[in-house]
Amino acid sequence: MDIMGQTDIASFFTNPDDRFMEEALKEALKAHDLGEVPVGAVIVHEGRIIARAHNQVEMLNDATAHAEIIALTQASAALENWRLIDTTLYVTKEPCPMCAGAMVNARVSRLVYGVADTKYGAAGSVFDVADNPCLNHRIAVVGGVKEDRSRELLQSFFMKLRNKI
């Protein structure tokens, strides 16, 4: 089986979370092919993708060039508004504190992620920036969508990286 695995056709057409996570996985594969940590993101507004991005930290030599941050910038440009109300951000790995904080600041309504990040996750795994009652905005969070595929992609990347060292 390849990294992308098999697509459940019925689910693809009936479940928008599955369909849009497939698009985020395509972005993650782009990052993988560039030697970046394979994380991909898309942002959806009114049923259509308005932003898509993948990690570019190494390529840009920029610690903030995470898929989510790049996608937030694109979505703000697409909507001509920094407030991303009524948007859903799909990302293959649970966002870190920086990305979750940016999502809260941008007023993203909903977050859907693939695999939890047990070291840096900020949408409920380690921290809960996304749904923190102390902040001015809270994001509805759904985790585990296409989790196995997201995990396989990350594990494959890090296994190849370790074998090079």
Side-chain angles (χ1 to χ4, degrees):
M1 179 185 338
D2 66 1
I3 288 197
M4 287 302 288
Q6 299 293 320
T7 300
D8 177 356
I9 298 299
S11 176
F12 182 82
F13 288 108
T14 59
N15 185 340
D17 286 350
D18 285 345
R19 185 172 76 242
F20 293 124
M21 188 59 78
E22 288 289 340
E23 295 300 316
L25 282 161
K26 288 178 187 176
E27 290 296 318
L29 277 173
K30 290 178 186 177
H32 180 277
D33 293 345
L34 293 170
E36 299 278 354
V37 174
V39 176
V42 298
I43 298 180
V44 174
H45 181 258
E46 295 180 349
R48 70 179 182 86
I49 295 173
I50 60 169
R52 57 177 67 237
H54 53 273
N55 275 2
Q56 296 181 42
V57 172
E58 300 297 333
M59 186 173 76
L60 299 176
N61 288 315
D62 181 354
T64 68
H66 290 196
E68 301 95 322
I69 299 296
I70 296 167
L72 289 169
T73 300
Q74 291 176 2
S76 293
L79 295 179
E80 298 179 339
N81 195 333
W82 64 268
R83 291 175 190 88
L84 300 179
I85 297 165
D86 296 327
T87 61
T88 299
L89 190 149
Y90 293 85
V91 63
T92 56
K93 184 174 72 66
E94 181 182 6
C96 70
M98 173 184 70
C99 293
M103 292 169 54
V104 168
N105 285 339
R107 315 300 196 271
V108 169
S109 299
R110 189 167 175 259
L111 164 66
V112 178
Y113 70 84
V115 65
D117 183 342
T118 58
K119 290 185 180 181
Y120 301 104
S125 290
V126 179
F127 309 103
D128 202 356
V129 174
D131 190 30
N132 188 317
C134 297
L135 299 176
N136 65 333
H137 177 74
R138 296 170 79 175
I139 301 169
V141 176
V142 176
V145 176
K146 303 286 183 183
E147 179 177 17
D148 291 341
R149 301 245 312 276
S150 298
R151 179 181 294 108
E152 288 170 16
L153 188 55
L154 286 162
Q155 287 175 341
S156 168
F157 174 81
F158 286 112
M159 186 178 299
K160 286 179 187 173
L161 191 64
R162 280 190 292 275
N163 289 337
K164 283 185 179 180
I165 297 174

